[in-house]
Amino acid sequence: MISLTKLKGKKVIWIGDINVDQNKINDLDYRKLDSSLKSFNMVQTIQNYTRVAKRGNKFTHSTIDVIMTNCYSDFNSSEVLQEQIGDHYAVQCELEFKVEKPPSFEKVAIHDYNSNNIKAFQTYLANLDFTPLFQSSNVDNACLILEENLNKYHDHFFPIKTVKKHEKFIYKPSNESLHAIKTKKKLHRKFKRKLKKVEESNCNSCNICKRCINAHLAWDEYRKQRNETNRITKANKRENLVNDLKSKSAKNDLKGIWKSIKLATNSSSKTNTQPKTDEKNINAENLNQHFCEIGPSLNAKVPLFNNIKYCDFLPSKNTNCYLDSFNEVTSESIKSYIASLSSNKAITDQ
């Protein structure tokens, strides 16, 4: 029970065999255990017999398989099952709690601005009578009433809905990036209009007339804005990625960090770069032949330089080479080698 001091303030459930019969309330061991449990606000929840043993011609019943807890209010039930393990019955308890699973998508609350809601709100505003507001002598009071009514019916016609935000949407465009994208689209539409005028004319893209010159100027203007937009977008993505990694590092979310890195590098964990091999085409003889001929074939592809071959770099046959000859290994040579080892090495005496 001394270890229970470390569990104060926590929910504890003990299940097991304690060899103290819970039916013998006058027994000294039971009283000691009961007082210890009460000092830690714990109770024993099993009341029926959990063990039936035969002694001679008699059967003894005892409750020694118990469930002890300090959170009995979270229990739905606690009972003895009919399944036996030896001469012991199994016990079980059902708890009432919810396991919070991390959401796979981030949820965002927004107003539902679909086309039907917008049309309904327009119809309501068209039929609204603003005469009392126009005839009001207090302008401030009229503005407050108008604002309250608009906010009220705005929430009525455009209710809040929850949408899922995919985890791959790390890129959150800044105001500068949105403005650059808007300007790029505007200049692209301008270039399309100028190009259409050139196609409608009979100059056949002469590059001399006023229409062709205006089309070229519109293209140059769009191209500069496109390059600037790409620069701003890349810088914005880089900044968002750094902020995302910092926030996940502060939470020690290693799994999230690797996900962000994979999304940023456009790499997939399921990518298999190894080529597929048809098992029917595997031939052991061809494979051995390939490795036997790989040396000469590569040597034939290496160009000669001043008629120097790789053999010129090998030692001459007159030099001592350990692989020229093999000496017979005897038991005496092995014993002499072992005897020559230092005594401080990790070897046995025999």
Side-chain angles (χ1 to χ4, degrees), residues 277 281-294:
T277 305
N281 298 330
I282 297 177
N283 192 328
E285 294 182 359
N286 294 337
L287 188 64
N288 293 333
Q289 187 70 19
H290 168 74
F291 281 104
C292 291
E293 298 177 353
I294 189 66

Side-chain angles (χ1 to χ4, degrees), residues 157-281:
F157 285 100
F158 306 107
I160 297 292
K161 70 174 183 178
T162 303
V163 296
K164 294 180 179 179
K165 180 180 178 183
H166 200 278
E167 62 178 359
K168 289 189 177 181
F169 295 157
I170 298 178
Y171 170 53
K172 301 175 184 178
S174 61
N175 294 331
E176 182 184 8
S177 178
L178 293 175
H179 178 70
I181 294 172
K182 185 177 180 181
T183 306
K184 184 189 74 170
K185 292 181 179 180
K186 182 179 178 181
L187 294 176
H188 187 262
R189 290 194 298 268
K190 179 181 177 181
F191 165 70
K192 286 291 186 180
R193 290 195 302 267
K194 299 292 183 182
L195 184 62
K196 186 177 181 181
K197 291 181 180 181
V198 173
E199 293 174 352
E200 292 175 353
S201 64
N202 297 324
C203 67
N204 295 325
S205 302
C206 62
N207 298 328
I208 301 174
C209 64
K210 186 177 180 180
R211 292 181 178 179
C212 291
I213 293 174
N214 290 337
H216 283 295
L217 293 175
W219 168 253
D220 292 338
E221 192 176 3
Y222 162 72
R223 183 168 53 83
K224 291 179 181 179
Q225 182 61 34
R226 181 194 61 187
N227 296 338
E228 180 66 15
T229 303
N230 292 338
R231 184 190 66 79
I232 295 174
T233 303
K234 289 180 180 178
N236 190 18
K237 287 183 177 180
R238 191 181 302 108
E239 182 182 359
N240 290 332
L241 177 62
V242 171
N243 294 334
D244 183 67
L245 292 176
K246 286 182 178 179
S247 62
K248 290 179 179 178
S249 298
K251 299 177 184 177
N252 199 21
D253 184 9
L254 299 180
K255 185 176 181 180
I257 291 174
W258 280 112
K259 281 187 177 181
S260 300
I261 293 174
K262 287 182 179 180
L263 293 175
T265 55
N266 295 325
S267 62
S268 176
S269 59
K270 297 181 180 180
T271 304
N272 186 10
T273 57
Q274 297 181 356
K276 294 183 179 179
T277 305
D278 189 2
E279 296 181 356
K280 297 180 180 179
N281 298 330

Side-chain angles (χ1 to χ4, degrees), residues 341-349:
L341 294 177
S342 177
S343 60
N344 60 355
K345 299 295 183 181
I347 58 175
T348 57
D349 295 335

Side-chain angles (χ1 to χ4, degrees), residues 48-167:
N48 296 332
Y49 297 117
T50 61
R51 181 175 182 266
V52 178
K54 184 178 181 180
R55 293 184 178 179
N57 297 327
K58 296 182 180 180
F59 288 91
T60 60
H61 300 76
S62 59
T63 305
I64 57 177
D65 301 281
V66 297
I67 299 177
M68 300 176 181
T69 181
N70 61 353
C71 55
Y72 187 65
S73 58
D74 296 334
F75 277 40
N76 285 336
S77 64
S78 177
E79 59 184 350
V80 180
L81 302 179
Q82 296 300 321
E83 288 76 9
Q84 281 187 273
I85 303 175
D87 56 354
H88 292 257
Y89 288 92
V91 295
Q92 77 165 7
C93 61
E94 294 182 3
L95 304 178
E96 181 179 2
F97 63 92
K98 296 181 180 179
V99 178
E100 295 184 1
K101 296 182 179 180
S104 54
F105 298 98
E106 180 183 354
K107 294 183 178 180
V108 182
I110 61 173
H111 286 279
D112 189 6
Y113 291 107
N114 60 59
S115 58
N116 294 331
N117 293 346
I118 294 175
K119 290 179 181 179
F121 190 56
Q122 289 176 346
T123 304
Y124 167 75
L125 292 178
N127 298 328
L128 194 62
D129 186 13
F130 295 98
T131 304
L133 294 177
F134 296 149
Q135 295 178 354
S136 177
S137 58
N138 191 341
V139 178
D140 295 334
N141 189 23
C143 291
L144 290 175
I145 295 175
L146 178 62
E147 183 180 3
E148 290 178 358
N149 288 330
L150 289 178
N151 291 334
K152 175 182 176 182
Y153 287 101
H154 172 269
D155 296 338
H156 173 72
F157 285 100
F158 306 107
I160 297 292
K161 70 174 183 178
T162 303
V163 296
K164 294 180 179 179
K165 180 180 178 183
H166 200 278
E167 62 178 359

